[in-house]
Amino acid sequence: MTFFNPAALSFLGLVPVIVLLYLLKLRRRQVTVSTLLFWQRVLKEHRRRALFQKLRQLLSLLLHLLIFLLMVLALARPQFNRLLQNGSSVVLILDSRARMQAVQPDGETSFIKAKRILSSYLRQAGPQDSMVILSLNGSVEVATGFTNDETGLRKTLAGLQPSDAACDLAPAVQFANELLASRTGDKRIVLVTDRAQPDNPSTPGIQVSVIPTGTPLDNVAITSFAARPLPNSPQTSQVLLELRNFSAKHQRGNAEVYLDDNLLDVRPFDLNPDGRHLEIFQVLPPSTGDTKGWLTARLDTKDALPLDNEAFAALPARTPTHILLVTRENWFLEKALSADNWVQFELLAPESFRPEMASHFDAVILDDYLPDNFSLATAAGNFLFIKKTPFTDTEGIIEQPPVTDSDSTSPLLRLLKLQDVTFLRASKLRLPDAPGEWRFNVPLRSFESPLVITGARGNQRLAAFAFDVTESDLPLKIAFPLLISNTLQWLTGEQPVSATNLHTGQTMALAPGETIETEPRTSGSQATALRPISLAHTSFSPTKNGFYLLRHGNQNAWIAVNTASETESDLRFKATALQAPAHSFISSFSSLPFLLATAWPLWMLFALAAFALFTLEWWLFHRRHTE
Amino acid sequence: METDPSPLFDSGFLSKLEQLHLLSKRIFRGQQRAERRSHQTGSSLEFADYRNYTHGDDLRTIDWNIYGRLDRLFVKLFEEEQDLHIHFLIDTSASMRWTAPLSNSRTDTHATKFNQARRIAASLAYIGLANLDRVNLYYFDSDLRNDMGISRGKSQFHKVLDFLKRAPHRNSATRLLPSLRSFAQRVKRRGLVFVLSDLFDPTGYEEALSLLRFNQFEAHVVQILDPAELQPDLFGDLQLVDSETGLTFDVTSDRTLLEQYQSGIHAFLESVQAFCLRHQIGYAQALASVPFEDLVLRVLREKRLVKS
């Protein structure tokens, strides 16, 4: 054993003084009695008591000397030579996953309890004892490197916060083993968690201690919440909401769904013990352009882990379509385009149109106009031809063509019924004999004459109406804007992009030019609040739930991040205290008080022993009432 | 230190003692007439018995009626009232003068054992004097000390009080055997003997008390104790000092030790009582804290040492 403060051992020279003081203290109180007969007789008859009477003073003196010795040793700051020769290295792993935010019956979270336990270990940091703190919050985060600065370690530990992420413990222990592999001296890993993992191999020579915190608790959680566009109706989103009951009791309540902070729907639930509840419903977001598409689901139940009672999903994003309307004047078309907030169009007179302009727009509408020398083979861009089309047959006009065939599967005719539309006249259209790379369809016919032709060549598309919209009652019907919208969506290939949903702790790579805010937003007020922005540029790994703004050029999109983990929400299992031999991760067992006791430095143990003996000495020798 | 605040003897109590008589188990030969029946025949008016006439008897005592009937001469015999010798042996050793010091748990003051012994002796002496018995008082500790001298009649009571007030203060040890042996050798006239002592003699009390019986004395023991001796209020690390020998004894007292001590002293008292009972020695236990009137009237009456 080595002493960091050997000067304190000089206090041992006071031992004779203690003995002298004790001998002086031994002067007894003199009391005159009438006779000693009966006192002597008592001690003579009870020899053991007589012996104890003789020895008790000696025992008291020995206790005093032992207490003094322990105090001197504590002041001398002892340390075992084995640890001093090469020092010791301890990796403290703080489980910061979502489940550690569970509120225990005493009102404290498991995370706070875990920090307190680790704080007691920091006392061991010293000249020869280095520590590192790892935080497990979706990934292994090194909170501080190996250091023996107890103050710094405490400050670091105090600053750690729990995350909303889910992940495994094994990578953290593996990382800790790797950190300790190159260290010399005594090596130890201390893991504080509320749920242990199955055995995993570890490095020989490294002792692993698992210290449990928290108790098993009941919980109801949202384990899945996502939105996606309907394949055949991109403007409509389909929302999935899954609830789980991690308890042995029935759980009832309501799940409230908000769209941009406005209550959208309330879904009651009645969960059996350990039951599951699935809701699938559709959401048609308003056509206003200022909607963010934030869906938030909240449970109105109160349980141990409020974190998983709220979930976020972003509705699929839509980008505006840029349309060039080449027309002399068509009030109906202009109004139909204006009605769709996702369409931005420009008006151009036919004589000003140049074919090369089409590449600057998502689609070009040529209303009763066909450029000279227009060739399907060389044209670039997407076109909607109205009345004058590349397919117009010179044979003439069809008067009052009735709609006889309508392909409802055509994307142009989705949700449309045009059979009752009256056309005054229509051009006779004929598909080209040599379509080349084009693939044509005729979704609408009047007998054998096409009324609508669609064509696709790679990414290029075109549509042709044989009729003039003004020469029909189509503009007066609700089908007209839908026809225009469907046609433009098909022409531009617009598919609402499914919103990106991430799990906390999951890593997403960012494309060049993409940035994403690293702080989440959870309410509409936060969406527009001005605040300092921290951006990630290469990859993104969120640790908190909420909406994150992804920017790419001028385009923004919201990323919804949730915990959504049954492992994190199931709080019914508790870790057991383990102190493993060096060759296994978790094996054998040890009591929690023993584990905590080993966290105390040697000098503190000496001091505690001295105090315990002092109390014992008082109890044995000074507790009596004396006069 | 003596802490008895009350006067040794007061007139109120004296008037009560007028009604008490000492009850004696045996009548001893007396030199003078006293107020007690004797089985000796004498010249009183009370007819006791007849005996044959012998030459020299007083002719006035011949019963002529019997002679007339039986033609034989018989002499009348009459009971004689005989005076009794009462001896009071008062232990004046250091243990008798000891009393427990005042403390937080003991605030009452009461007589020392010695004062209590003197009061008992004075009371009994008064009764004896009132009954025209011959009374003598002795002090003893390690040996028999001075005595008052035989006195008779109530007019001599002042001598009793004087003697009791002038008690020697030697702080000697208690030695019953040499003291009572000296008494037996000195006193030839038998009678009642009252030993007023705590009997705290390391050499024992049995042989000394037996000596009195062997010497034809009617012995009575009044064992006087202090309440603090029965239930000492001593705790902690102590050095006990014997009041008689000055010897010291270190002890650490706790409740267990006190209980064992009390068992021991009660066993001693029971052994004394049993010994006295076996050897027909009168025994009474008197606490120094008991008011003297209660002591004499109650305890002594129960023991039939006096009767009203």
Side-chain angles (χ1 to χ4, degrees):
Chain A
M1 187 178 286
T2 303
F3 299 96
F4 287 121
N5 185 23
L9 294 175
S10 61
F11 281 110
L12 291 175
L14 292 176
V15 167
V17 175
I18 292 175
V19 174
L20 180 64
L21 288 173
Y22 200 80
L23 291 174
L24 289 175
K25 184 184 79 72
L26 281 177
R27 211 181 291 172
R28 295 168 177 265
R29 181 165 61 99
Q30 267 201 350
V31 177
T32 301
V33 294
S34 56
T35 180
L36 287 177
L37 278 177
F38 307 105
W39 296 100
Q40 290 168 332
R41 212 171 275 177
V42 165
L43 289 180
K44 188 177 175 183
E45 290 168 1
H46 298 84
R47 291 188 184 279
R48 189 176 62 178
R49 185 172 190 86
L51 181 63
F52 178 69
Q53 291 271 342
K54 288 179 186 172
L55 291 179
R56 66 181 306 278
Q57 293 300 333
L58 180 62
L59 180 63
S60 178
L61 175 62
L62 289 176
L63 275 176
H64 274 88
L65 291 175
L66 186 58
I67 291 167
F68 182 68
L69 178 65
L70 286 171
M71 289 169 62
V72 170
L73 286 176
L75 283 173
R77 293 290 301 270
Q79 186 60 277
F80 289 116
N81 285 334
R82 182 178 64 84
L83 293 176
L84 280 179
Q85 283 163 4
N86 294 313
S88 70
S89 301
V90 182
V91 177
L92 305 175
I93 303 177
L94 174 63
D95 187 349
S96 306
R97 296 177 293 174
R99 57 184 296 116
M100 293 295 284
Q101 295 183 50
V103 180
Q104 296 298 321
D106 62 0
E108 275 192 339
T109 63
S110 302
F111 186 76
I112 291 177
K113 291 182 185 298
K115 281 172 71 172
R116 189 180 301 124
I117 291 172
L118 282 183
S119 179
S120 67
Y121 275 86
L122 297 183
R123 293 188 197 96
Q124 290 186 336
Q128 298 287 339
D129 304 311
S130 298
M131 292 186 176
V132 63
I133 299 177
L134 302 182
S135 176
L136 182 61
N137 50 6
S139 60
V140 182
E141 179 184 306
V142 179
T144 173
F146 276 106
T147 177
N148 55 18
D149 176 17
E150 183 181 340
T151 305
L153 285 166
R154 287 193 184 280
K155 194 174 174 185
T156 300
L157 182 64
L160 292 178
Q161 296 297 325
S163 72
D164 299 345
C167 62
D168 289 335
L169 282 175
V173 179
Q174 179 65 28
F175 183 67
N177 281 317
E178 291 167 3
L179 283 178
L180 291 171
S182 60
R183 307 285 293 185
T184 56
D186 190 54
K187 303 177 207 175
R188 195 147 54 105
I189 297 173
V190 177
L191 166 63
V192 183
T193 178
D194 73 331
R195 184 172 182 175
Q197 296 279 316
D199 283 2
N200 278 315
S202 70
T203 307
I206 298 177
Q207 187 181 44
V208 179
S209 302
V210 176
I211 300 179
T213 181
T215 57
L217 300 167
D218 293 340
N219 189 34
V220 176
I222 298 174
T223 51
S224 184
F225 186 54
R228 64 173 184 177
L230 284 177
N232 55 351
S233 178
Q235 289 176 312
T236 306
S237 292
Q238 191 178 48
V239 178
L240 171 78
L241 174 66
E242 183 185 61
L243 309 177
R244 279 294 307 273
N245 177 14
F246 297 106
S247 75
K249 295 179 284 193
H250 251 96
Q251 299 288 351
R252 294 185 182 85
N254 294 307
E256 299 168 349
V257 180
Y258 294 81
L259 175 62
D260 293 346
D261 296 335
N262 298 315
L263 184 62
L264 182 69
D265 200 353
V266 177
R267 298 276 169 155
F269 63 87
D270 185 353
L271 292 165
N272 291 325
D274 207 25
R276 187 189 301 266
H277 178 81
L278 192 65
E279 289 272 357
I280 297 176
F281 52 95
Q282 293 180 358
V283 173
L284 183 66
S287 59
T288 56
D290 58 353
T291 181
K292 295 181 294 296
W294 284 7
L295 283 176
T296 306
R298 294 195 186 103
L299 303 181
D300 62 355
T301 55
K302 296 268 189 295
D303 54 29
L305 188 60
L307 171 74
D308 55 15
N309 293 349
E310 187 177 52
F312 308 97
L315 290 178
R318 289 185 62 188
T319 55
T321 307
H322 295 281
I323 304 296
L324 177 62
L325 175 60
V326 181
T327 182
R328 289 185 180 79
E329 191 174 350
N330 190 325
W331 187 84
F332 295 112
L333 273 177
E334 290 174 30
K335 277 299 175 188
L337 292 175
S338 299
D340 190 345
N341 285 322
W342 296 104
V343 171
Q344 294 173 355
F345 71 96
E346 292 181 25
L347 278 173
L348 188 67
E351 51 274 12
S352 301
F353 175 73
R354 300 287 178 272
E356 54 270 21
M357 291 178 182
S359 60
H360 297 289
F361 293 89
D362 295 319
V364 176
I365 301 175
L366 297 174
D367 177 32
D368 196 18
Y369 170 70
L370 185 67
D372 297 332
N373 303 321
F374 181 87
S375 169
L376 285 176
T378 57
N382 302 316
F383 292 92
L384 169 61
F385 303 98
I386 299 178
K387 190 175 180 182
K388 286 186 181 172
T389 76
F391 312 104
T392 301
D393 193 343
T394 54
E395 287 185 5
I397 305 295
I398 305 171
E399 295 293 336
Q400 297 183 355
V403 175
T404 58
D405 295 298
S406 172
D407 182 5
S408 60
T409 64
S410 169
L412 270 65
L413 301 182
R414 182 167 49 93
L415 302 177
L416 287 180
K417 281 177 67 175
L418 297 179
Q419 283 79 353
D420 57 348
V421 176
T422 303
F423 298 98
L424 278 179
R425 59 183 66 83
S427 303
K428 212 163 190 183
L429 300 181
R430 192 167 65 88
L431 293 173
D433 297 326
E437 295 175 340
W438 286 96
R439 296 288 176 265
F440 295 107
N441 283 312
V442 180
L444 194 70
R445 287 179 183 272
S446 176
F447 298 107
E448 67 278 1
S449 295
L451 292 176
V452 174
I453 293 176
T454 60
R457 179 177 67 176
N459 290 332
Q460 187 182 12
R461 291 178 181 178
L462 61 83
F465 293 171
F467 48 86
D468 187 343
V469 297
T470 59
E471 293 177 351
S472 69
D473 61 354
L474 181 60
L476 303 178
K477 294 183 185 296
I478 191 64
F480 177 63
L482 281 177
L483 175 64
I484 299 299
S485 177
N486 290 345
T487 303
L488 289 179
Q489 280 186 12
W490 180 78
L491 284 175
T492 58
E494 179 192 336
Q495 290 291 333
V497 178
S498 292
T500 303
N501 287 331
L502 287 180
H503 289 188
T504 35
Q506 185 179 356
T507 300
M508 180 180 84
L510 297 175
E514 277 188 337
T515 58
I516 189 166
E517 290 182 355
T518 56
E519 292 297 318
R521 306 174 196 241
T522 55
S523 68
S525 61
Q526 290 180 341
T528 55
L530 292 175
R531 57 181 187 172
I533 298 172
S534 170
L535 301 175
H537 298 269
T538 55
S539 65
F540 173 57
S541 183
T543 59
K544 287 291 182 186
N545 296 340
F547 295 103
Y548 292 81
L549 184 61
L550 174 70
R551 293 195 180 93
H552 185 87
N554 293 328
Q555 294 187 351
N556 297 335
W558 292 102
I559 309 291
V561 176
N562 294 294
T563 304
S565 166
E566 292 193 2
T567 306
E568 294 303 306
S569 295
D570 192 350
L571 305 176
R572 292 174 292 182
F573 302 98
K574 182 180 181 305
T576 53
L578 295 169
Q579 180 144 0
H583 62 273
S584 68
F585 176 35
I586 298 174
S587 64
S588 77
F589 67 91
S590 179
S591 66
L592 179 59
F594 171 75
L595 290 177
L596 290 179
T598 58
W600 291 74
L602 205 54
W603 71 266
M604 206 172 279
L605 293 176
F606 279 141
L608 282 174
F611 179 74
L613 284 178
F614 179 78
T615 306
L616 176 67
E617 200 271 343
W618 174 84
W619 175 261
L620 287 177
F621 299 108
H622 301 286
R623 179 172 53 90
R624 288 177 302 280
H625 169 67
T626 56
E627 291 182 346
Chain B
M1 183 180 75
E2 297 187 8
T3 57
D4 186 1
S6 60
L8 194 58
F9 210 63
D10 59 24
S11 57
F13 189 70
L14 277 175
S15 62
K16 292 182 184 177
L17 293 183
E18 288 289 339
Q19 308 299 319
L20 297 176
H21 293 276
L22 286 170
L23 178 66
S24 173
K25 290 186 178 179
R26 295 184 301 177
I27 298 175
F28 293 88
R29 187 188 305 275
Q31 293 177 352
Q32 296 185 23
R33 183 173 303 179
E35 294 184 0
R36 181 166 297 101
R37 296 293 179 188
S38 168
H39 293 306
Q40 297 276 339
T41 54
S43 56
S44 72
L45 296 178
E46 293 288 331
F47 171 77
D49 202 349
Y50 290 102
R51 68 174 173 82
N52 291 324
Y53 172 81
T54 54
H55 182 71
D57 288 335
D58 189 351
L59 294 176
R60 291 175 293 178
T61 62
I62 295 173
D63 190 335
W64 294 109
N65 289 325
I66 290 178
Y67 179 73
R69 282 183 280 136
L70 300 177
D71 240 1
R72 286 177 66 183
L73 290 171
F74 287 95
V75 176
K76 285 184 185 175
L77 297 174
F78 298 91
E79 287 186 351
E80 181 72 35
E81 286 188 350
Q82 184 183 22
D83 57 346
L84 182 63
H85 281 238
I86 307 174
H87 309 277
F88 296 96
L89 298 170
I90 304 167
D91 185 349
T92 187
S93 65
S95 64
M96 287 293 289
R97 293 177 186 272
W98 175 88
T99 187
L102 292 176
S103 65
N104 290 337
S105 60
R106 179 178 173 265
T107 56
D108 63 310
T109 57
H110 55 76
T112 60
K113 294 189 291 184
F114 184 61
N115 284 351
Q116 193 78 315
R118 287 194 287 178
R119 287 192 182 120
I120 295 172
S123 171
L124 295 175
Y126 179 82
I127 294 170
L129 291 171
N131 289 336
L132 299 179
D133 291 320
R134 296 181 185 272
V135 170
N136 199 358
L137 281 73
Y138 307 79
Y139 288 122
F140 76 92
D141 41 50
S142 57
D143 203 341
L144 193 67
R145 302 298 172 194
N146 53 319
D147 65 300
M148 182 186 70
I150 293 179
S151 299
R152 187 167 183 262
K154 284 200 302 186
S155 62
Q156 303 296 310
F157 186 66
H158 69 279
K159 289 174 65 178
V160 171
L161 294 179
D162 286 341
F163 179 76
L164 289 174
K165 285 176 186 172
R166 288 181 287 108
H169 198 141
R170 293 182 193 274
N171 271 345
S172 296
T174 308
R175 293 290 180 268
L176 288 166
L177 184 59
S179 300
L180 269 56
R181 181 180 290 124
S182 297
F183 168 77
Q185 290 170 350
R186 188 191 297 186
V187 176
K188 299 303 176 186
R189 189 57 186 271
R190 301 297 178 254
L192 287 177
V193 176
F194 287 91
V195 178
L196 297 106
S197 171
D198 53 17
L199 302 184
F200 288 166
D201 184 350
T203 60
Y205 57 88
E206 294 92 341
E207 192 175 350
L209 294 180
S210 299
L211 189 68
L212 288 177
R213 278 191 38 79
F214 294 152
N215 284 276
Q216 308 296 315
F217 288 98
E218 183 180 335
H220 297 272
V221 172
V222 180
Q223 188 174 22
I224 304 170
L225 300 163
D226 192 289
E229 290 169 334
L230 297 179
Q231 290 183 329
D233 188 18
L234 298 172
F235 288 94
D237 298 320
L238 306 168
Q239 186 178 65
L240 303 179
V241 181
D242 191 307
S243 62
E244 292 187 352
T245 63
L247 290 173
T248 59
F249 186 69
D250 292 343
V251 71
T252 298
S253 177
D254 53 19
R255 292 203 185 281
T256 305
L257 184 69
L258 288 177
E259 287 171 4
Q260 291 166 349
Y261 167 88
Q262 287 171 17
S263 296
I265 196 169
H266 282 111
F268 169 74
L269 297 176
E270 286 168 3
S271 73
V272 172
Q273 188 172 9
F275 174 85
C276 292
L277 188 65
R278 277 197 309 274
H279 296 84
Q280 294 178 322
I281 297 173
Y283 175 80
Q285 197 180 92
L287 281 181
S289 59
V290 174
F292 175 69
E293 304 84 88
D294 294 341
L295 184 66
V296 174
L297 296 178
R298 179 176 54 84
V299 177
L300 296 182
R301 185 182 297 123
E302 285 177 358
K303 299 300 178 182
R304 303 191 67 184
L305 291 178
V306 292
K307 71 170 182 180
S308 60

